[in-house]
Amino acid sequence: MTPDTPEPDLAGTLTVDAIEGRYARVEREDGSTEDWSLASLPCGVQEGDVIRLTVIDGDLDIEIDHAETQRRRASAQAQLDALNQAAPSGELDL
Amino acid sequence: MRHVLALAALSLGLASAQAAAPGAPGVLTIRFLDVGQGDAVLITSPEGKSVLYDGGRSEPRLQALLNLYGVQSLDLVAASHADSDHITGLIPGVRLFKPKYFLNNGIAGTTQTWNRLVTAAQQAGTQGLVAKDQTINLGSVKLTVLAPPSGMPKNEQNPNSVGLLVQFGKFRALMTGDSETAETAAWLRKYPAATLGPIDVYKSIHHGARNGDNAAWLAAVRPRNVIISVGPNNYGHPTAEALALYKRVGATVYRTDREGTVTVVVQPSGQFAITTAHGPAVPTNPPASRPAPAAAAPRPATPAAIPPTPAPASSVYYANCAAVRAAGAAPLLRGQPGYRPGLDRDGDGRACE
């Protein structure tokens, strides 16, 4: 493999966990996190976005998967709303 | 498999520490856990009720720390917000102890880590508790929830961080996740000054980031002791600006990357002592002669320090660098729990880099 060839494991998705100054902390598909330079990600990337990495003929294509981002946001929010639904109000004693 | 090995190595090393570790009855114990770059605060009331406010970025590391400090139960876990360096360690906390409540900001994350946390809470039968103005009694310790104010950006986690004010007698501690200036400014408009300060022990916002603590906020909070939960990072945390702010308000600063876990033990009278796992000795309270901040209102007398209890010796042992990495602790810096020259091949003070 030449140094110019993207590594095979680059293909797949990243999820933007947080943006910290010039870096985005991204979650790989295996659940691990890495810091990526914001400059290496698509312009306008935001926290929570799903980034799709595709290797075509040796070139790495990086784009925001807006549909998957929306799907995940909606699904996760529904799950959390259900968990929070029966929360008691007022003063709580543990 | 790597995680299993790491946990085995950690549990062997920690076994001797467990018996002596639990907090003494009758006191409030707050531990700012050394979780590397991230936040995790363990609060145990005199009645033995426990809260985990954030859990750091590593499941095995947090689990090892819960073992080290002899945690037998958790009644509530709180995610200040959904970032992985705050919530990952909550997952084993939920799985192991099935807490009654999971306090959160009501804004779901899109990561697998977030999904695993909420799924674990569902499976444990833990009730979600979206943050609102609410008081939670942890035995004789009163927790006041600082909910994210209205008007914060909906898809940004930091400015929607959940704050927690801890009160026990005259003692007060404050934690506010990774809040940003918009959120602290809104809290300043919302709460009377007496609600926010003075604060005896304060967790630095966002690991000392540039967009967290600010002069107006700290003038109201008036922290006497600041704990920065921070580890090796690419972001420049803590920033020189944040450190200058803490110096300007006359606070004593503790850093988990240098001193390890920072433990605060509070007597019913409000007297408290601060000890650290390792690192240079630091004063328990600011010197009495320190100048008061310009905007400070008259404050009650600083609680007298009680003699600090000896800091527990580090008994974390990593068999090899694979175990260090599996625990999310790499690179290990000289002085941190688990560091030893055998793991630091080039002897530069950074093992398993």
Side-chain angles (χ1 to χ4, degrees), chain B residues 174-247:
Chain B
L174 180 61
M175 291 151 265
T176 57
D178 283 358
S179 299
E180 296 183 358
T181 303
E183 184 172 32
T184 55
W187 279 335
L188 284 175
R189 290 190 295 270
K190 178 177 179 178
Y191 294 111
T195 301
L196 298 172
I199 292 295
D200 295 301
V201 173
Y202 175 71
K203 187 199 72 66
S204 165
I205 294 181
H206 199 174
H207 330 290
R210 192 172 284 108
N211 59 355
D213 280 304
N214 56 83
W217 173 248
L218 290 179
V221 171
R222 289 175 281 154
R224 291 172 175 150
N225 298 279
V226 174
I227 287 97
I228 309 174
S229 187
V230 67
N233 68 87
N234 294 320
Y235 322 126
H237 300 166
T239 60
E241 289 90 338
L243 294 172
L245 284 169
Y246 306 142
K247 186 175 182 182

Side-chain angles (χ1 to χ4, degrees), chain A residues 63-91:
Chain A
E63 61 180 359
I64 302 171
D65 188 335
H66 292 287
E68 177 61 11
T69 302
Q70 272 305 107
R71 190 198 65 76
R72 279 206 213 170
R73 274 196 203 285
S75 169
Q77 193 62 51
Q79 186 186 22
L80 180 62
D81 290 346
L83 189 71
N84 286 334
Q85 193 173 23
S89 57
E91 198 164 317

Side-chain angles (χ1 to χ4, degrees), chain B residues 34-256:
Chain B
D34 177 13
V35 290
Q37 176 70 9
D39 271 357
V41 186
L42 177 65
I43 305 165
T44 305
S45 76
E47 296 80 11
K49 302 278 185 182
S50 288
V51 169
L52 183 60
Y53 174 85
D54 286 339
R57 62 177 179 169
S58 163
E59 292 188 48
R61 186 158 179 164
L62 200 283
Q63 192 166 333
L65 287 163
L66 293 176
N67 285 339
L68 174 64
Y69 294 114
V71 175
Q72 302 295 317
S73 65
L74 286 176
D75 300 275
L76 178 146
V77 295
S80 65
H81 62 301
D83 286 0
S84 66
D85 58 332
H86 292 252
I87 64 165
T88 309
L90 294 179
I91 298 169
V94 169
R95 286 181 180 155
L96 286 170
F97 297 114
K98 298 179 170 46
K100 193 170 183 182
Y101 295 113
F102 165 45
L103 179 65
N104 61 83
N105 67 2
I107 303 173
T110 61
T111 58
Q112 296 172 64
T113 306
W114 173 262
N115 178 264
R116 287 194 296 121
L117 173 59
V118 176
T119 301
Q122 285 176 320
Q123 292 170 345
T126 297
Q127 172 64 55
L129 201 61
V130 67
K132 56 190 171 192
D133 292 336
Q134 194 165 31
T135 299
I136 301 171
N137 297 310
L138 191 66
S140 54
V141 176
K142 179 179 163 186
L143 307 177
T144 302
V145 177
L146 273 59
S150 59
M152 296 298 111
K154 283 295 177 196
N155 285 337
E156 292 182 28
Q157 287 289 338
N158 287 356
N160 285 289
S161 290
V162 179
L164 209 58
L165 174 65
V166 182
Q167 297 178 84
F168 179 53
K170 293 177 181 174
F171 173 87
R172 290 149 57 88
L174 180 61
M175 291 151 265
T176 57
D178 283 358
S179 299
E180 296 183 358
T181 303
E183 184 172 32
T184 55
W187 279 335
L188 284 175
R189 290 190 295 270
K190 178 177 179 178
Y191 294 111
T195 301
L196 298 172
I199 292 295
D200 295 301
V201 173
Y202 175 71
K203 187 199 72 66
S204 165
I205 294 181
H206 199 174
H207 330 290
R210 192 172 284 108
N211 59 355
D213 280 304
N214 56 83
W217 173 248
L218 290 179
V221 171
R222 289 175 281 154
R224 291 172 175 150
N225 298 279
V226 174
I227 287 97
I228 309 174
S229 187
V230 67
N233 68 87
N234 294 320
Y235 322 126
H237 300 166
T239 60
E241 289 90 338
L243 294 172
L245 284 169
Y246 306 142
K247 186 175 182 182
R248 205 169 301 148
V249 296
T252 300
V253 173
Y254 301 80
R255 295 174 52 158
T256 59

Side-chain angles (χ1 to χ4, degrees), chain B residues 254 263-265 267 272-276 281-285 304-312:
Chain B
Y254 301 80
T263 301
V264 184
V265 176
Q267 304 294 328
F272 64 98
I274 302 177
T275 57
T276 61
V282 285
T284 300
N285 284 305
I306 60 173
T309 52

